[in-house]
Every structure is written in structure tokens, then in C-alpha cells.
Amino acid sequence: MVARHTGEDVVVDGGRGELVLFWAGFPLLGAGLGAGLTALSGWIAGLPWFPFQGLFELLDRWPDERAYPIGAGLGLLGGLALAVVAVRDRLTVTVGHHTVRLHRDGHGRDVARADVAGVFVDGEALVLLDTAGGELAREKSDLDTERLREAFTRQGWPWTGQDPHRDAYRRWVEGLPDLPPGADALLRARQRALDGGHDAETRELHGELARLGVVVRDEGKRQYWRLVPGPPPR
């Protein structure tokens, strides 16, 4: 992980080494895996549960000088596809004195320092809390916690180190009476999206719950919630 200075801003991202890994390492690994599977194509073709049986049957019938380039090429393409996904999911955090920019997948959002009461890392997420106790941002991140702490504290942001409201969270089960009207239905929908691995829908419903004054955090496939101590955002 890398923290670098751009003017007065501090930028935290995975650095050039991470990009080299994505764009070179993943395709090379994919090509090697494709060649290895081609060498085992005859055995794999005899496994009825293994996917892409037709492809492995073809590779097994073709001569080596044709089968190996095709197998390695398909693996390389798979590695490139994985690299594209990894780069799109890469988070860059640019911390200034007055704003922080959270940039991912070609899109960025700015959060003003005046709106932030606390910054911390919760598991695999960077979290910014507002002055009412709600969440301004919760971004999935594999960035080094110490690098993030250094960047935010250097610029004078309130780094709390941990969630000051952690003890207020409760495990969600359907039909809880203490939730605001409509929140239980949103949590049911979010649970389905979480179970199905639909990340975009999960994030969207997280935002809908925030508008009701409900903060949600996940542990695996389990949802935990708390109410915002102050008035919910308008």
C-alpha cells in the first residue's frame, strides 16, 4: 500500500506494484493455469461434474501444438477479465485539509471535513461518520489501516480508530419492533441481495436505510443495525 503527497493532499492507494500485479500477474497466472488444465484435459473430460466438458473434450482431441496455445490463450483472457474487475474495484483515497475524495471505478465522491465527526476502519471498510452519528461513507477497502490513519491524522481529521457506536449494534431478525416504518422490509430485501452476492443492490439498500436513520454493518452474511442517535438525514 502506498501513501504519497500531491501538493498538500495525501493519496493512499495500492501503488504501482498493485497495478503490475493486476495487469501482468493475473494474465500470466491465467495463461499458466490454462496450459495446466489443457495438459489434464483428457482426465477432466471424464469428470461429469466439471464445467465446460465440451471444451476439454475438444482440447483432448486436438494436437498439442493447437490445444496448448488455445488453452493458454483462454486462461490469459480470463486473467485479463479478472484484472479489469480488480482495477474497477480499486479504491483511492485522497485526503486534503478540507475534503476527502473517495475514488473507485471511474467515479469519485467528496466529503467535507466540516461534516465528519469520526473516521475509522471497520473490518474491510473505511467509514466516515457524521456529527449526528450516521454514516457519510462506508467504502469496501483493502488499504493498509496504518497508512490511512497517517493520512487522515496528518491532515487534521478526527481518526477514532474504531467505531464509537459499536456496542449499539443489534443482530437483525425479521419483525423487530424498534425499527422505523419501512426499515424491516428494506432489511429483508437487503438480506436477499447480500445472500445473492448482488453488491450494487446491497449498497443501494444501505443508502435507503441510512435515509431512515438506520446504520447497517455486515459480518459475513449477517446484518447488524443501529439507529442514528441524532435526527436522520433529510
Side-chain angles (χ1 to χ4, degrees):
M1 307 299 168
V2 174
R4 62 182 187 276
H5 299 270
T6 305
E8 294 186 350
D9 296 341
V10 181
V11 181
V12 184
D13 59 19
R16 294 181 180 177
E18 185 179 71
L19 292 175
V20 171
L21 172 64
F22 291 161
W23 291 118
F26 285 6
L28 289 174
L29 181 62
L33 181 60
L37 290 174
T38 300
L40 299 173
S41 58
W43 176 68
I44 294 174
L47 302 175
W49 53 267
F50 205 92
F52 308 113
Q53 286 291 302
L55 173 62
F56 287 107
E57 289 172 359
L58 283 174
L59 291 174
D60 185 46
R61 289 200 299 267
W62 286 338
D64 289 351
E65 60 270 18
R66 182 181 181 188
Y68 277 95
I70 291 176
L74 290 174
L76 185 145
L77 290 175
L80 283 173
L82 184 60
V84 170
V85 173
V87 170
R88 290 180 61 181
D89 197 48
R90 187 173 184 256
L91 177 67
T92 299
V93 181
T94 304
V95 189
H97 289 302
H98 304 294
T99 61
V100 59
R101 168 160 282 250
L102 308 172
H103 188 270
R104 189 199 306 273
D105 192 18
H107 302 285
R109 56 173 300 196
D110 294 326
V111 180
R113 166 66 182 86
D115 297 332
V116 176
V119 185
F120 59 93
V121 171
D122 181 23
E124 296 182 349
L126 173 65
V127 182
L128 278 66
L129 294 180
D130 64 23
T131 54
E135 288 184 354
L136 289 167
R138 175 178 284 269
E139 289 287 343
K140 180 181 176 183
S141 166
D142 59 359
L143 296 174
D144 182 73
T145 300
E146 184 59 24
R147 296 287 188 185
L148 289 168
R149 185 195 67 79
E150 290 177 0
F152 279 100
T153 56
R154 181 185 180 90
Q155 302 288 48
W157 291 66
W159 181 269
T160 63
Q162 61 182 357
D163 189 348
H165 304 285
R166 188 176 182 86
D167 292 340
Y169 283 93
R170 299 167 55 188
R171 171 80 182 271
W172 174 74
V173 292
E174 191 171 346
L176 286 174
D178 299 331
L179 287 163
D184 197 56
L186 290 172
L187 283 162
R188 285 199 303 271
R190 191 175 183 275
Q191 185 67 60
R192 290 193 296 270
L194 194 63
D195 291 338
H198 305 304
D199 293 342
E201 185 177 359
T202 301
R203 289 193 298 270
E204 181 182 352
L205 290 167
H206 188 282
E208 293 293 330
L209 286 159
R211 281 188 274 276
L212 295 179
V214 179
V215 180
V216 185
R217 62 186 299 271
D218 303 321
E219 292 186 10
K221 299 293 185 180
R222 299 187 299 272
Q223 297 185 104
Y224 291 80
W225 65 276
R226 66 174 174 85
L227 296 178
V228 176
R234 291 178 295 177

